[in-house]
Amino acid sequence: MSGTENFLDAQMWYLRYCGVFREQSTLAGIRQRVCLGVLVVFMVLQSIYIFQHVNHFAMICDAIPTLVVCMVTISKFYIFVFEPAAMVALIDSFKALQGGASAAELLLFRRSGHFHAKLTKLYMTSALVVGWFYILSAVAAGVSRSLAEERARFVAPMAFPHNYQHPVVFALTFLFNCDSIHIAIFISGSVDTCFSELATSVTIHFRLIQRRFQAVDFATETAGDELEAAVAYHKDVLRLCLAMTDLFRYTVLYLLLLDSLLLCVIGYQFVIFMNTPRVLMLASMAFVMVLQAVIYCYHGSMMYDESLKVADAIYQSNWYEARPAVQRRLRICMMRAQKPVVTKGGFIRATLPTLKKILNSTGSYITMLLSLETEQ
């Protein structure tokens, strides 16, 4: 178990900020609900701000990205608040399946674990830089306005519908805003890299299944037992795939559904504020959102392709030397293997062609918004 005991530990460590622990306690449960409440309240406040400024498109564009990020974060946090037992069971199932691997096979999972630990750290660092940039920019803007107007003026990192110029109100708003930013960062980064490591493990398992089917010598007497072992392994992996895709269905749906809208707004703002320091914030946020979409779409395509290759691996074996009963069993295996693993949320599939469509539609929407701006 030395290769599996640290499975997803890097991601779970960051989730402690939001009260997510393997062994739940009363305080952890309270913190989880506080975090969920912060996200819900933040989403409501952003919605109110949009309705207040419905006739000012530029002001709406300021609130839409944060609203979308908040909605996607809630869909990710849903897993740990409402289905924690399913998540823990999924992690334990992956550990158990990896525990049955040989030393050479276990090395593949260890490499994946080391890579994703570094990826998680890099992801969190990048996201925190973006979040702190928003916070420090607000502080700098507040100081600048105060000096220009010769009186205390407060600026929050995000847009809010209420007047927060009173020091106490601003302090509460600022702390609330900072907490919501860190909650969104730690949840998004942890869940995204968690999905990446789970999907990579699935991909490795499918490749090992392909090797095991190809390694069976159907001319021998032990071919039947080796085939049954490979089939059992394939069933276990498929069962884990079903549990994983079901658990992440809402995340995939809201992320890919809203990503096009978010990138469209950010791209529009990027063009409008091309020669201002705000471009850095917009570019960094766009990078993080595209990275999220890439993680789900890339791994969705990898699982899809590798699951289909199992049928090819069976065909490439010396199945023609097997007994008739074994050949019938192999046909059933091939029929099942020809049904790929599909990562989707609702009607949206997480694949690279889907990502291409999102990016293409984003470019079209940005062009349309710019043409409307020119006409006005």
Coordinates of all heavy atoms in Angstrom, one line a residue, residues 232-273:
A232 N -12.6 -9.5 -14.7 CA -12.9 -9.0 -13.4 C -12.3 -7.7 -13.1 O -12.9 -6.7 -12.6 CB -12.5 -10.0 -12.3
Y233 N -11.0 -7.5 -13.5 CA -10.3 -6.2 -13.4 C -11.1 -5.2 -14.3 O -11.3 -4.0 -13.8 CB -8.9 -6.5 -13.9 CG -8.0 -5.3 -13.8 CD1 -8.3 -4.2 -12.9 CD2 -6.8 -5.2 -14.5 CE1 -7.4 -3.1 -12.8 CE2 -5.9 -4.1 -14.3 CZ -6.2 -3.1 -13.5 OH -5.4 -2.0 -13.3
H234 N -11.5 -5.5 -15.5 CA -12.2 -4.6 -16.3 C -13.5 -4.2 -15.7 O -13.9 -3.0 -15.7 CB -12.4 -5.3 -17.7 CG -12.9 -4.3 -18.8 ND1 -13.6 -4.7 -19.9 CD2 -12.8 -3.0 -18.9 CE1 -13.9 -3.7 -20.6 NE2 -13.4 -2.6 -20.0
K235 N -14.2 -5.1 -15.1 CA -15.5 -4.8 -14.4 C -15.3 -3.8 -13.3 O -16.0 -2.8 -13.1 CB -16.1 -6.0 -13.9 CG -16.8 -6.9 -15.0 CD -17.4 -8.1 -14.3 CE -18.1 -9.0 -15.3 NZ -18.7 -10.2 -14.7
D236 N -14.2 -4.0 -12.5 CA -13.9 -3.1 -11.4 C -13.6 -1.7 -11.8 O -14.1 -0.7 -11.3 CB -12.7 -3.7 -10.6 CG -13.1 -5.0 -9.8 OD1 -14.3 -5.2 -9.6 OD2 -12.1 -5.7 -9.5
V237 N -12.9 -1.6 -12.9 CA -12.5 -0.3 -13.4 C -13.7 0.4 -14.0 O -14.0 1.6 -13.8 CB -11.4 -0.4 -14.5 CG1 -11.1 1.0 -15.1 CG2 -10.1 -0.9 -13.9
L238 N -14.6 -0.3 -14.7 CA -15.8 0.3 -15.3 C -16.7 0.8 -14.2 O -17.4 1.8 -14.3 CB -16.5 -0.7 -16.2 CG -15.8 -1.0 -17.5 CD1 -16.6 -2.2 -18.2 CD2 -15.8 0.2 -18.4
R239 N -16.8 0.0 -13.1 CA -17.6 0.4 -12.0 C -17.1 1.7 -11.3 O -17.9 2.6 -11.0 CB -17.7 -0.7 -10.9 CG -18.7 -0.5 -9.8 CD -18.8 -1.7 -8.9 NE -17.6 -2.0 -8.2 CZ -16.9 -3.1 -8.5 NH1 -17.3 -3.9 -9.5 NH2 -15.8 -3.4 -7.9
L240 N -15.8 1.8 -11.2 CA -15.2 3.0 -10.7 C -15.5 4.2 -11.6 O -15.8 5.3 -11.1 CB -13.7 2.9 -10.4 CG -13.3 2.0 -9.3 CD1 -11.8 2.0 -9.1 CD2 -13.9 2.5 -8.0
C241 N -15.4 4.0 -12.9 CA -15.7 5.0 -13.9 C -17.1 5.5 -13.8 O -17.3 6.8 -13.8 CB -15.4 4.5 -15.3 SG -13.7 4.2 -15.7
L242 N -18.0 4.6 -13.6 CA -19.4 5.0 -13.5 C -19.6 5.9 -12.2 O -20.3 6.9 -12.2 CB -20.3 3.8 -13.4 CG -21.8 4.0 -13.3 CD1 -22.3 4.8 -14.5 CD2 -22.6 2.7 -13.2
A243 N -19.0 5.4 -11.1 CA -19.2 6.2 -9.8 C -18.5 7.6 -10.0 O -19.1 8.6 -9.5 CB -18.5 5.4 -8.7
M244 N -17.4 7.6 -10.6 CA -16.6 8.9 -10.7 C -17.4 9.9 -11.6 O -17.6 11.1 -11.3 CB -15.2 8.7 -11.3 CG -14.4 9.9 -11.3 SD -12.7 9.6 -12.0 CE -13.2 9.7 -13.7
T245 N -17.8 9.4 -12.8 CA -18.5 10.3 -13.7 C -19.8 10.8 -13.1 O -20.3 11.9 -13.4 CB -18.7 9.7 -15.1 OG1 -19.4 8.4 -14.9 CG2 -17.4 9.4 -15.8
D246 N -20.5 9.9 -12.4 CA -21.7 10.3 -11.7 C -21.5 11.4 -10.6 O -22.3 12.3 -10.5 CB -22.4 9.1 -11.1 CG -23.8 9.4 -10.5 OD1 -24.7 9.8 -11.2 OD2 -23.9 9.3 -9.2
L247 N -20.4 11.2 -9.9 CA -20.1 12.2 -8.8 C -19.7 13.6 -9.4 O -20.1 14.6 -8.7 CB -18.9 11.6 -8.0 CG -18.7 12.1 -6.6 CD1 -20.0 11.9 -5.7 CD2 -17.6 11.5 -5.9
F248 N -19.1 13.6 -10.5 CA -18.6 14.9 -11.1 C -19.6 15.5 -12.1 O -19.2 16.4 -12.8 CB -17.2 14.8 -11.7 CG -16.2 14.7 -10.6 CD1 -15.8 13.4 -10.1 CD2 -15.5 15.8 -10.2 CE1 -14.8 13.3 -9.2 CE2 -14.5 15.7 -9.3 CZ -14.1 14.5 -8.7
R249 N -20.8 14.9 -12.2 CA -21.7 15.3 -13.3 C -22.1 16.8 -13.3 O -22.1 17.5 -14.3 CB -22.9 14.4 -13.4 CG -23.8 14.5 -12.2 CD -24.9 13.4 -12.1 NE -25.8 13.5 -11.0 CZ -25.6 13.2 -9.8 NH1 -24.4 12.7 -9.5 NH2 -26.5 13.3 -8.8
Y250 N -22.4 17.3 -12.0 CA -22.8 18.7 -11.9 C -21.6 19.6 -12.2 O -21.8 20.7 -12.8 CB -23.4 18.9 -10.5 CG -24.7 18.2 -10.3 CD1 -24.8 17.3 -9.2 CD2 -25.8 18.4 -11.1 CE1 -26.0 16.6 -9.0 CE2 -27.0 17.7 -10.9 CZ -27.1 16.8 -9.8 OH -28.2 16.1 -9.6
T251 N -20.5 19.2 -11.8 CA -19.3 20.1 -12.0 C -19.0 20.2 -13.5 O -18.8 21.3 -14.0 CB -18.1 19.5 -11.3 OG1 -18.3 19.4 -9.9 CG2 -16.8 20.3 -11.6
V252 N -19.1 19.1 -14.2 CA -18.9 19.1 -15.7 C -19.9 20.0 -16.4 O -19.6 20.8 -17.2 CB -18.9 17.7 -16.2 CG1 -18.9 17.7 -17.8 CG2 -17.7 16.9 -15.7
L253 N -21.2 19.8 -15.9 CA -22.3 20.5 -16.6 C -22.1 22.0 -16.4 O -22.1 22.8 -17.4 CB -23.6 20.1 -16.0 CG -24.9 20.9 -16.4 CD1 -25.1 20.7 -17.9 CD2 -26.1 20.4 -15.6
Y254 N -22.0 22.5 -15.2 CA -21.9 23.9 -14.9 C -20.6 24.6 -15.5 O -20.7 25.7 -16.0 CB -22.1 24.2 -13.5 CG -23.5 24.0 -13.0 CD1 -23.9 22.9 -12.2 CD2 -24.5 24.9 -13.3 CE1 -25.2 22.7 -11.8 CE2 -25.9 24.7 -12.9 CZ -26.2 23.6 -12.1 OH -27.5 23.4 -11.7
L255 N -19.5 23.8 -15.3 CA -18.3 24.4 -15.8 C -18.3 24.6 -17.3 O -18.0 25.7 -17.8 CB -17.1 23.5 -15.4 CG -15.7 23.9 -15.9 CD1 -15.3 25.2 -15.3 CD2 -14.7 22.8 -15.6
L256 N -18.6 23.6 -18.0 CA -18.6 23.7 -19.5 C -19.7 24.5 -20.1 O -19.6 25.2 -21.1 CB -18.6 22.3 -20.1 CG -17.4 21.4 -19.8 CD1 -17.5 20.1 -20.5 CD2 -16.1 22.1 -20.0
L257 N -20.8 24.5 -19.4 CA -22.0 25.3 -19.8 C -21.7 26.8 -19.7 O -22.1 27.6 -20.5 CB -23.2 24.9 -19.1 CG -24.6 25.5 -19.5 CD1 -24.9 25.1 -20.9 CD2 -25.7 25.2 -18.5
L258 N -21.1 27.2 -18.5 CA -20.9 28.6 -18.2 C -19.5 29.1 -18.7 O -19.3 30.3 -18.7 CB -21.1 28.8 -16.7 CG -22.4 28.5 -16.1 CD1 -22.4 28.6 -14.6 CD2 -23.5 29.4 -16.7
D259 N -18.6 28.2 -19.0 CA -17.3 28.6 -19.4 C -17.3 29.5 -20.6 O -16.5 30.5 -20.7 CB -16.4 27.4 -19.6 CG -15.0 27.7 -19.1 OD1 -14.8 28.4 -18.1 OD2 -14.0 27.1 -19.6
S260 N -18.1 29.2 -21.6 CA -18.2 30.0 -22.8 C -18.7 31.4 -22.5 O -18.1 32.3 -23.1 CB -19.1 29.3 -23.8 OG -19.2 30.0 -25.0
L261 N -19.7 31.5 -21.7 CA -20.2 32.8 -21.3 C -19.1 33.6 -20.6 O -18.9 34.8 -20.9 CB -21.4 32.7 -20.4 CG -21.9 34.0 -19.7 CD1 -22.4 34.9 -20.8 CD2 -23.0 33.6 -18.7
L262 N -18.4 33.0 -19.6 CA -17.4 33.7 -18.9 C -16.2 34.1 -19.7 O -15.8 35.3 -19.7 CB -16.9 32.7 -17.8 CG -15.7 33.3 -16.9 CD1 -16.2 34.6 -16.2 CD2 -15.3 32.2 -15.8
L263 N -15.7 33.2 -20.6 CA -14.6 33.6 -21.5 C -15.0 34.7 -22.5 O -14.2 35.5 -22.9 CB -14.1 32.4 -22.2 CG -13.5 31.3 -21.4 CD1 -13.1 30.1 -22.2 CD2 -12.2 31.9 -20.8
C264 N -16.3 34.7 -22.9 CA -16.8 35.7 -23.8 C -16.7 37.1 -23.1 O -16.2 38.1 -23.7 CB -18.2 35.4 -24.2 SG -19.1 36.7 -25.0
V265 N -17.2 37.2 -21.8 CA -17.2 38.4 -21.1 C -15.8 38.9 -20.8 O -15.4 40.1 -21.0 CB -18.0 38.3 -19.8 CG1 -17.8 39.5 -18.9 CG2 -19.5 38.0 -20.1
I266 N -14.9 38.0 -20.4 CA -13.5 38.3 -20.1 C -12.8 38.8 -21.4 O -12.1 39.8 -21.4 CB -12.8 37.1 -19.5 CG1 -13.3 36.8 -18.1 CG2 -11.3 37.4 -19.4 CD1 -12.7 35.6 -17.5
G267 N -13.1 38.1 -22.5 CA -12.5 38.5 -23.8 C -12.9 39.9 -24.2 O -12.1 40.7 -24.7
Y268 N -14.2 40.2 -24.0 CA -14.8 41.5 -24.4 C -14.1 42.6 -23.5 O -13.7 43.6 -24.0 CB -16.3 41.5 -24.1 CG -16.9 42.8 -24.2 CD1 -17.1 43.4 -25.4 CD2 -17.3 43.5 -23.1 CE1 -17.7 44.7 -25.5 CE2 -17.9 44.8 -23.1 CZ -18.1 45.4 -24.4 OH -18.7 46.6 -24.4
Q269 N -14.0 42.3 -22.2 CA -13.3 43.3 -21.3 C -11.8 43.4 -21.7 O -11.3 44.5 -21.5 CB -13.5 42.8 -19.9 CG -14.9 43.0 -19.3 CD -14.9 42.6 -17.8 OE1 -14.5 41.5 -17.5 NE2 -15.4 43.4 -17.0
F270 N -11.2 42.3 -22.1 CA -9.8 42.4 -22.4 C -9.6 43.3 -23.6 O -8.6 44.1 -23.6 CB -9.3 41.0 -22.8 CG -7.9 40.8 -23.0 CD1 -7.1 40.5 -21.9 CD2 -7.2 41.0 -24.2 CE1 -5.7 40.4 -22.0 CE2 -5.9 40.9 -24.4 CZ -5.1 40.6 -23.3
V271 N -10.4 43.3 -24.5 CA -10.3 44.2 -25.7 C -10.6 45.7 -25.3 O -9.9 46.6 -25.7 CB -11.3 43.8 -26.8 CG1 -11.2 44.8 -28.0 CG2 -10.9 42.4 -27.3
I272 N -11.6 45.9 -24.4 CA -12.0 47.2 -24.0 C -10.9 47.8 -23.1 O -10.5 49.0 -23.3 CB -13.3 47.2 -23.2 CG1 -14.4 46.7 -24.1 CG2 -13.6 48.5 -22.6 CD1 -14.7 47.5 -25.3
F273 N -10.3 47.0 -22.2 CA -9.3 47.6 -21.3 C -7.8 47.2 -21.7 O -7.0 46.9 -20.9 CB -9.5 47.0 -19.9 CG -10.8 47.4 -19.3 CD1 -11.9 46.5 -19.3 CD2 -11.1 48.7 -18.8 CE1 -13.1 46.9 -18.7 CE2 -12.3 49.1 -18.3 CZ -13.3 48.2 -18.3

